[in-house]
Each structure stands twice: as structure tokens, then as C-alpha cells.
Amino acid sequence: MAENMKTALVLGGGGARGAYEIGVWQALREMDVKIDIITGTSVGAINGALVAQDEFELACKVWKEIQTHMVVDKRLLRRENTPLKNLLSRYIDETKVRDSQSEFGLVTVELPGFVPRHFYKEDIPKGKLIDYIVASSSLFPAFRAADIDNTKYVDGGYLDNLPVGMALKRGATHVVAVDLSTAGIVQKKPLEEAKNLIIVHCKWDLGDIMEFDGKNSAKNIRLGYLDTLKAFGFFDGKYYTFAKGEMDKRTLKSAETAARVFALDPQILYTRDSFRRQLSATVLSYQKETEAEVQSFQEQVKRHSLEKELLLSLLKKINQKSLALVIADYLKNNPDVRDSLLAKPVPLIFKEETRAANYLLKEGIL
């Protein structure tokens, strides 16, 4: 059975968000997942070529040093593809891609008929690999349509932004697909046909697809790495990453809500204890910074605790963190309120803040 297993890595399009795919690759390397087939669209085609070359350190270097001007000419009336082609020419080695044991394919869209074109590396004339990768990445109108031998092409994401079907045609039995959550079209049928499919995607906003920045790329690499390990069941969490099995589902959901409200760093792998320490420190720091403001609102809430409309009006005037603290203080000093005022209107209107407040109280942080 294992001898017939073929694993595909399918990389979606998403411009500057593409660093996330390098983090996915990092996790697959650490898990010793052998990648037999690589298919990609747009930036996924670029990253796919680097995966085929098996040059992980080079890929990290490229993404951490990349800037917008290195990819696209943003001058008005000049939407040249030349900067991108020059960049790819420095880092993509066509010979290594062709000699790779991994199959490699990409998607582009032919004009004027707007026809999807799926090219495997053996379909691409020698010496033209980078041209076809540029064609797959030519997001019109940010880029001009690519011209290859008098045929024009634009970004493959317009018609097939997650080319799982290409991988299945080459006999993939297991597929890891990376969805960068962009506006491109994802073909649904191949997703339904893939029997062993893991889709890795991020709950966080990975940034503007046309703004390339090394610092943001480093963050996205880390998120891609953690999300992949969660997708394979090594860690728990959705927005955040927690050691496996340390919290039940309900506690985990509340912990993540509190983390989001107080803007904890999603790049950290938390144990239950380290998470509690970090959350406690963040809450304490925020309390000190805004002590006067929060105290003022707490006093107003206490004075008008039975006037529902006024209470809701007061709560709407403060930010999410302060609101969670005010609700927690109110619950702590009014233990019977769960059966009255906060039983319906406040949790419905301020759902996340109330859940975070309950978690802070349950864990003894407040």
C-alpha cells in the first residue's frame, strides 16, 4: 500500500501571502513527508519550483528579503513583468526543477478566450520554465499579460487557484493543499474527488497580496508552519497553537477567545501553563495602562446595574479589552447576575467579550 502512495503538495495563489506556503513546506519536511507531486498557481507556482529544487533555506531567504519593488513596477502606465522575471531568474534553476524527482505543474489562463491551461514541466519548452511561471503569476491588471511565443497569458488563479485536479491526474493518493484565502476561483469537484485531502489555511489575515515585506513574510512562514502541524493533529487550536490534549474543546475555545480579545501573539506554541502566564501578564499590563478608564466605567456600571439600556450604552463606548474586564468585574461582584441581566442581552451583543471574561474568572486571572 505504501509503495503506491503518492503525496501531492498543491499551492494556491495569493501574491505576498505566499510566504505562508514556505511554512507549510517546513512542517512537511520536519514530518518527513515525501512530496511526489507539486502543482501551483501564481505565487504557488513560484514556491512550487523552489520546493522542486529542494532549496528550503534559499526559499526562506528570498521571502525574508523580498520587497514590493523587487516584484512589480508600480509606476503608473508601466505594469511590467520584468522585475518579477528578473527576481525568478536569480533563484529558480530550471535544470534542477526538471531533474527533480518530484513532478511539477502550474496553471495559467490563455487569452483572448480566457481558457485555463495546465502545464506539467515536460509540457514546457526547455528554456521557458521561468516564462511560464511568470505567466501563471501575471495578475492582470497589476501585471501585464505575459507573452510567450505570441500567445498571451494571465494569472491562473482566475480559473483554478488551487489546482488539486492537476495532482489527481498524476495519480496523487494524498493531497496537502494550501489555500491563501484570496479571491481566485477554486474548483470544487477535485476537492470532492480527493480521498485523502488536508487543506491548510490560516484564520488570520495574511496581509495585502501586493505588499511584499520581509517582516510580514517571516510571520507568515511561522503561521504556515504551526497551522500545518495543527492540520496533521500534532497540536490543538485554530487561531492559536496549543500543546496537544491539555484543554478540552470548550476550554480551548474560551482560551482562544480571550487570546484574541487581548491580542496575544499567534506565533507562539503555548502549553496551558505558559498560556495562562502570558495572558495574565498581558491583562495586568493592560489594566495598569488603562486603570483610570476601566475603573471609571466599572463604577458607572455598578451605579446603573439594573438599567439595561444605560448599561448597554456604556459598554458600547469602550474597546474590546476594557469591555471584557468590565464584564468580568461585574460578574465577579454580582454572582447572581447570570440569571438576570447578563443571561441574555450582554452575551448576545458582546459574545466574545463575555466568553473572555468568563475564562479570566474561571482561570483565576481576575
Side-chain angles (χ1 to χ4, degrees):
M1 184 71 176
E3 293 180 0
N4 298 322
M5 178 177 172
K6 293 182 73 173
T7 300
L9 176 61
V10 178
L11 302 172
R17 299 178 183 180
Y20 182 84
E21 296 176 335
I22 304 303
V24 175
W25 181 24
Q26 179 186 0
L28 295 177
R29 284 165 55 90
E30 290 188 7
M31 291 186 287
D32 290 324
V33 174
K34 181 177 180 290
I35 301 171
D36 302 293
I37 304 164
I38 307 157
T39 62
T41 298
S42 197
V43 74
I46 297 172
N47 285 332
L50 293 170
V51 175
Q53 290 178 203
D54 195 25
E55 294 188 279
F56 175 73
E57 297 300 331
L58 175 64
C60 289
K61 178 178 182 293
V62 171
W63 276 103
K64 290 178 181 178
E65 294 180 357
I66 199 167
Q67 298 294 325
T68 302
H69 71 273
M70 300 167 65
V71 179
V72 58
D73 189 334
K74 299 185 76 174
R75 286 175 290 178
L76 191 64
L77 302 180
R78 287 199 63 189
R79 304 181 306 281
E80 299 288 355
N81 300 350
T82 305
L84 175 60
K85 185 174 181 178
N86 291 341
L87 180 70
L88 299 184
S89 297
R90 295 208 306 270
Y91 296 111
I92 292 179
D93 187 320
E94 179 169 342
T95 300
K96 288 183 178 180
V97 174
R98 291 189 182 279
D99 291 344
S100 172
Q101 293 183 358
S102 300
E103 297 191 53
F104 172 71
L106 57 81
V107 185
T108 186
V109 174
E110 183 181 330
L111 299 180
F114 216 63
V115 180
R117 297 299 186 193
H118 298 83
F119 296 99
Y120 299 96
K121 60 185 178 183
E122 62 269 24
D123 301 324
I124 297 172
K126 289 185 178 180
K128 297 283 188 177
L129 179 66
I130 290 175
D131 291 320
Y132 277 84
I133 293 174
V134 170
S136 180
S137 308
S138 295
L139 183 60
F140 183 86
F143 292 92
R144 287 184 178 179
D147 190 325
I148 303 176
D149 299 327
N150 297 318
T151 301
K152 294 188 181 298
Y153 300 95
V154 292
D155 196 290
Y158 283 117
L159 294 178
D160 192 358
N161 202 39
L162 199 62
V164 171
M166 285 191 78
L168 296 180
K169 286 180 181 179
R170 286 304 170 103
T173 59
H174 293 70
V175 177
V176 179
V178 188
D179 184 354
L180 297 178
S181 301
T182 57
I185 293 176
V186 174
Q187 299 295 330
K188 301 297 183 183
K189 187 176 180 181
L191 299 183
E192 296 169 355
E193 294 175 346
K195 294 181 180 179
N196 299 288
L197 172 66
I198 292 178
I199 298 180
V200 183
H201 69 281
C202 192
K203 287 285 190 179
W204 299 98
D205 182 355
L206 295 173
D208 190 317
I209 65 171
M210 294 304 297
E211 292 296 331
F212 292 81
D213 173 75
K215 185 177 180 180
N216 191 58
S217 292
K219 180 195 76 173
N220 287 346
I221 290 173
R222 176 64 176 172
L223 293 176
Y225 170 76
L226 292 174
D227 285 345
T228 303
L229 293 176
K230 285 185 286 186
F232 275 80
F234 287 96
F235 300 130
D236 287 333
K238 293 182 179 179
Y239 288 90
Y240 292 86
T241 307
F242 298 88
K244 188 72 177 177
E246 292 200 354
M247 300 183 194
D248 59 50
K249 289 184 178 181
R250 185 173 181 178
T251 302
L252 185 63
K253 184 176 182 179
S254 296
E256 288 211 281
T257 300
R260 291 176 63 196
V261 168
F262 286 92
L264 266 60
D265 188 352
Q267 300 177 68
I268 296 173
L269 169 59
Y270 295 99
T271 63
R272 182 165 188 163
D273 288 341
S274 69
F275 176 76
R276 188 184 184 283
R277 288 195 300 271
Q278 185 61 52
L279 182 60
S280 296
T282 302
V283 170
L284 179 60
S285 175
Y286 182 76
Q287 283 179 310
K288 289 181 178 179
E289 291 176 7
T290 61
E291 185 175 2
E293 176 190 359
V294 173
Q295 185 175 353
S296 172
F297 274 103
Q298 286 173 341
E299 292 301 322
Q300 291 181 65
V301 169
K302 289 174 184 177
R303 287 199 302 269
H304 304 289
S305 60
L306 297 179
E307 299 176 25
K308 183 176 70 174
E309 295 303 324
L310 181 56
L311 173 58
L312 294 177
S313 176
L314 289 171
L315 293 177
K316 287 180 180 179
K317 294 179 182 178
I318 56 178
N319 66 36
Q320 200 173 30
K321 296 177 186 178
S322 299
L323 179 51
L325 294 178
V326 170
I327 293 174
D329 178 77
Y330 194 80
L331 289 171
K332 185 176 182 179
N333 291 289
N334 299 271
D336 297 330
V337 79
R338 299 172 196 274
D339 298 321
S340 57
L341 180 61
L342 286 185
K344 288 186 179 180
V346 170
L348 287 174
I349 299 173
F350 305 108
K351 191 173 182 179
E352 289 200 340
E353 295 85 349
T354 302
R355 183 181 293 129
N358 279 310
Y359 181 81
L360 296 177
L361 293 174
K362 180 182 177 182
E363 294 296 313
I365 294 173
L366 293 177

